[in-house]
Amino acid sequence: MLAATNRGLYRSTNAGASWTIVSLPTGQTAIPYIWSIAWTGGTTFAVSLEANPGVSTGTTDGQVMRTTDNGVSWVKATGYTVAAGIGRSTIAAAPSNRNTLYAMAAIPNASSSSDLADILKSTNGGATWTALGAAKKRYTKTNTESSTLATLLNGQGWYNHMVQIDPTNANVAYFGGALLVAKTSDGGSTFTQKSNWLAQFSLPYVHADFHASAMQGSTLIVGTDGGLFKSTDGGTTFTDALNVGLTTHLIYSVGSSPANVNAMIGGFQDNGTRVRSGTTTTFNQYIGGDGFGSAIHRTNANTMLGSLYYSRIYKSTDGGLTFALASTGITESNNSSSAPFNTGITTWEGAANADTIFTWSNTKVYKSTNYAGAWTAMGVTGLPTTSFYIRGVGVATSNVNVVGIVANGGRVFLSNNGGTSWTTAGALPNNGSSLSRIAFDPTNPAIVYVTSVAADATKNHIWKSTDSGVTWTAIDGTGLPTGAPVNMVKVDPNSSSTVYAGTHFGVYRSVDGGATWARFGTGMPLVNVDDIYISADSTMVRAASFGRGFWQLN
């Protein structure tokens, strides 16, 4: 068995019971990022990789390596080069002729939507490759959105990749990028568009962003950010019927309200902002794109907030049926260079009228006192002026003037005067950066919690301060697995000793202020939980999971 990871290629000779890392002669000192594996028949395999994946400018040195002895030794393929350079690439071997391989390669560190480096082909098991010049080729039927293959990946070559070869004909292959599936029926000489993300140009609808595929006989199934799509006629038509019954959306947030216990809203990765229809399990999409932060007004459930990337807030006053842009005053809104991709919304739970909310750009916190009718920037005194990016904002329920920021570099900033000025908090011990959320005790603003999603199992991921951020104590490890990323923390509104944590391994709860923890909620799968809602009377908990939908516990 071979396993492709972002920390190299691993090999097992005992059916996966144990693994050893494989030494690959990439010519680089960095540990390579392995993207795909192709079995090319017998004891031969080929893998695609980035030999220098950490560089942010120039080439990441995309390569193909080949073995003829089941992975004991490897040699670098020849001809696997493109003038623009190769970053991430995906390879596949034809089931009908394992000597024939196709590769789709992205330009490394691309800065435009034309980031297809090329489609390459091998006819000798991956030993040598020929670039097909696909980036300059026009589709057999062009349209105003896509005329050449150059934009197949749409600037997301680090993210969108799918290569599938017909099991009976090595000349027929499918390439999934961002907005469409491209097909060749003549071994790569010509390409045809077979789908469109909005069902435009008389093409069938298939959701954007392709990641996976499988083919058996004439049945092709592709996996996208919008689930599964199936074709049985070579891509002429597609159906999304396979998605019915699957609850697999990646949800960033959950908004609810005691004014209408059945009302729910959430932000979905590349599946918009969705609102629950009545008391059903149907969630209709009312804002497209990537949905992030969301909320429902605490006293008027017809008033809802959704979001799009780059600090774009949208507001509904009719229970989520229609939304209008509500970003007035946020000067960085819809600016990819000064606003975060993941738009956050923080509600102040202390106001009787429930109208006070917060959001943020990269460097400023914004406050609204009329539920996104208009926004005002808070002060920046005491905040860094360079290399500063806000990751999350929290506000004390008992005092709206006590506000906290978690930022890049593992830094925490606190204000006790409503954001007029900020103070750098004490250092978080054993901090791996990648801070995610900050939350306050509902009755004592001096008690603060901070979480981290650092991809480092040797670091702590949740801390508590009882002196307004002067000192911090790591509180994971006793029941909450040390090293597990924690997305967020929330204190029960009626019990300061009861604390909930949304982690990469489900929901955890502490009933002693974070001293000890335990998995919480029978039936909750071992899934990444991004957000938690606790009802005002503490009788209901809702969780937004990244891959398994919404969950509720009464």
Side-chain angles (χ1 to χ4, degrees), residues 45 52 90 106 164 166 296 308 321 365 397 406 461 464 476 480 488 541:
F45 292 85
N52 199 12
T90 299
Q164 181 66 51
D166 186 286
I296 303 179
L308 259 175
L321 296 177
V365 179
T397 300
V406 288
H461 291 82
K464 180 180 181 180
D476 46 349
L480 184 65
M488 53 81 60
V541 178

Short mmCIF file of all heavy atoms in Angstrom, two decimals, residues 45 52 90 106 164 166 296 308 321 365 397 406 461 464 476 480 488 541:
data_model
loop_
_atom_site.label_atom_id
_atom_site.label_comp_id
_atom_site.label_asym_id
_atom_site.label_seq_id
_atom_site.Cartn_x
_atom_site.Cartn_y
_atom_site.Cartn_z
N PHE A 45 4.33 1.92 -10.18
CA PHE A 45 3.46 3.00 -9.75
C PHE A 45 4.09 4.33 -10.16
O PHE A 45 5.30 4.41 -10.38
CB PHE A 45 3.29 3.01 -8.22
CG PHE A 45 2.54 1.86 -7.66
CD1 PHE A 45 3.18 0.66 -7.38
CD2 PHE A 45 1.19 1.96 -7.38
CE1 PHE A 45 2.50 -0.41 -6.84
CE2 PHE A 45 0.49 0.90 -6.84
CZ PHE A 45 1.14 -0.29 -6.57
N ASN A 52 9.00 21.17 -3.38
CA ASN A 52 9.33 22.29 -2.51
C ASN A 52 8.05 23.06 -2.19
O ASN A 52 7.88 24.22 -2.59
CB ASN A 52 10.36 23.20 -3.20
CG ASN A 52 11.08 24.09 -2.23
OD1 ASN A 52 11.01 23.90 -1.02
ND2 ASN A 52 11.79 25.09 -2.74
N THR A 90 -2.22 16.33 -10.81
CA THR A 90 -2.94 15.09 -10.55
C THR A 90 -2.76 14.17 -11.74
O THR A 90 -2.92 14.59 -12.89
CB THR A 90 -4.43 15.37 -10.33
OG1 THR A 90 -4.58 16.22 -9.19
CG2 THR A 90 -5.20 14.08 -10.09
N ALA A 106 -1.08 22.50 -12.45
CA ALA A 106 -1.36 23.91 -12.19
C ALA A 106 -0.06 24.71 -12.13
O ALA A 106 0.99 24.19 -11.75
CB ALA A 106 -2.11 24.07 -10.87
N GLN A 164 -10.10 11.76 -14.75
CA GLN A 164 -10.74 10.45 -14.84
C GLN A 164 -10.65 9.95 -16.27
O GLN A 164 -11.00 10.65 -17.21
CB GLN A 164 -12.21 10.54 -14.42
CG GLN A 164 -12.94 9.23 -14.46
CD GLN A 164 -12.42 8.23 -13.43
OE1 GLN A 164 -12.30 8.55 -12.26
NE2 GLN A 164 -12.06 7.04 -13.88
N ASP A 166 -11.68 7.02 -19.10
CA ASP A 166 -12.68 6.00 -19.42
C ASP A 166 -12.08 4.61 -19.22
O ASP A 166 -10.95 4.34 -19.66
CB ASP A 166 -13.15 6.19 -20.86
CG ASP A 166 -14.30 5.27 -21.22
OD1 ASP A 166 -14.06 4.06 -21.40
OD2 ASP A 166 -15.43 5.76 -21.31
N ILE A 296 -29.54 35.09 13.92
CA ILE A 296 -30.96 35.45 13.94
C ILE A 296 -31.20 36.34 15.15
O ILE A 296 -30.71 36.06 16.25
CB ILE A 296 -31.86 34.21 14.00
CG1 ILE A 296 -31.58 33.27 12.83
CG2 ILE A 296 -33.33 34.63 13.98
CD1 ILE A 296 -32.42 32.00 12.84
N LEU A 308 -21.13 36.72 2.98
CA LEU A 308 -20.28 36.24 1.90
C LEU A 308 -18.84 36.58 2.25
O LEU A 308 -18.58 37.31 3.22
CB LEU A 308 -20.66 36.89 0.58
CG LEU A 308 -21.52 36.09 -0.41
CD1 LEU A 308 -21.88 36.97 -1.60
CD2 LEU A 308 -20.78 34.85 -0.89
N LEU A 321 -36.39 34.98 3.50
CA LEU A 321 -36.83 34.79 2.12
C LEU A 321 -36.08 35.68 1.15
O LEU A 321 -35.80 35.29 0.02
CB LEU A 321 -38.34 35.04 2.00
CG LEU A 321 -39.23 34.07 2.78
CD1 LEU A 321 -40.69 34.46 2.64
CD2 LEU A 321 -39.02 32.63 2.30
N VAL A 365 -12.01 46.28 13.95
CA VAL A 365 -13.27 45.72 14.44
C VAL A 365 -14.38 46.71 14.13
O VAL A 365 -14.21 47.93 14.28
CB VAL A 365 -13.21 45.46 15.96
CG1 VAL A 365 -14.55 44.90 16.46
CG2 VAL A 365 -12.07 44.50 16.29
N THR A 397 -20.67 39.46 27.68
CA THR A 397 -22.11 39.62 27.84
C THR A 397 -22.44 40.66 28.90
O THR A 397 -23.38 41.47 28.74
CB THR A 397 -22.75 38.27 28.23
OG1 THR A 397 -22.50 37.33 27.19
CG2 THR A 397 -24.25 38.40 28.44
N VAL A 406 -8.61 37.89 18.66
CA VAL A 406 -7.52 36.94 18.42
C VAL A 406 -6.99 37.21 17.02
O VAL A 406 -7.75 37.45 16.08
CB VAL A 406 -7.98 35.47 18.56
CG1 VAL A 406 -8.23 35.13 20.01
CG2 VAL A 406 -9.22 35.18 17.72
N HIS A 461 -4.39 23.97 22.63
CA HIS A 461 -5.38 24.55 21.72
C HIS A 461 -6.52 25.27 22.42
O HIS A 461 -7.42 25.77 21.74
CB HIS A 461 -5.94 23.46 20.80
CG HIS A 461 -4.95 22.96 19.80
ND1 HIS A 461 -4.00 22.01 20.11
CD2 HIS A 461 -4.73 23.29 18.50
CE1 HIS A 461 -3.24 21.77 19.05
NE2 HIS A 461 -3.66 22.53 18.05
N LYS A 464 -7.36 29.55 29.29
CA LYS A 464 -8.27 30.31 30.14
C LYS A 464 -7.46 31.33 30.94
O LYS A 464 -6.37 31.05 31.43
CB LYS A 464 -9.01 29.38 31.09
CG LYS A 464 -10.00 30.06 32.03
CD LYS A 464 -10.68 29.04 32.93
CE LYS A 464 -11.69 29.69 33.86
NZ LYS A 464 -12.37 28.69 34.74
N ASP A 476 -6.60 22.23 27.94
CA ASP A 476 -6.87 20.97 27.27
C ASP A 476 -5.96 19.91 27.86
O ASP A 476 -5.00 20.21 28.57
CB ASP A 476 -6.69 21.09 25.76
CG ASP A 476 -5.42 21.81 25.34
OD1 ASP A 476 -4.76 22.41 26.20
OD2 ASP A 476 -5.09 21.79 24.14
N LEU A 480 -10.17 16.61 27.25
CA LEU A 480 -10.12 17.21 25.91
C LEU A 480 -8.76 16.85 25.32
O LEU A 480 -7.73 17.25 25.85
CB LEU A 480 -10.29 18.72 26.00
CG LEU A 480 -10.34 19.50 24.69
CD1 LEU A 480 -11.57 19.11 23.89
CD2 LEU A 480 -10.36 21.00 24.96
N MET A 488 -13.86 26.66 18.45
CA MET A 488 -14.54 27.70 19.19
C MET A 488 -14.86 27.22 20.60
O MET A 488 -14.80 26.03 20.91
CB MET A 488 -15.84 28.11 18.47
CG MET A 488 -16.79 26.97 18.14
SD MET A 488 -17.84 26.42 19.50
CE MET A 488 -18.72 27.93 19.84
N VAL A 541 -28.98 22.76 22.65
CA VAL A 541 -27.70 23.05 22.03
C VAL A 541 -27.79 22.65 20.56
O VAL A 541 -28.30 21.56 20.23
CB VAL A 541 -26.55 22.27 22.70
CG1 VAL A 541 -25.23 22.55 22.00
CG2 VAL A 541 -26.45 22.63 24.17
#
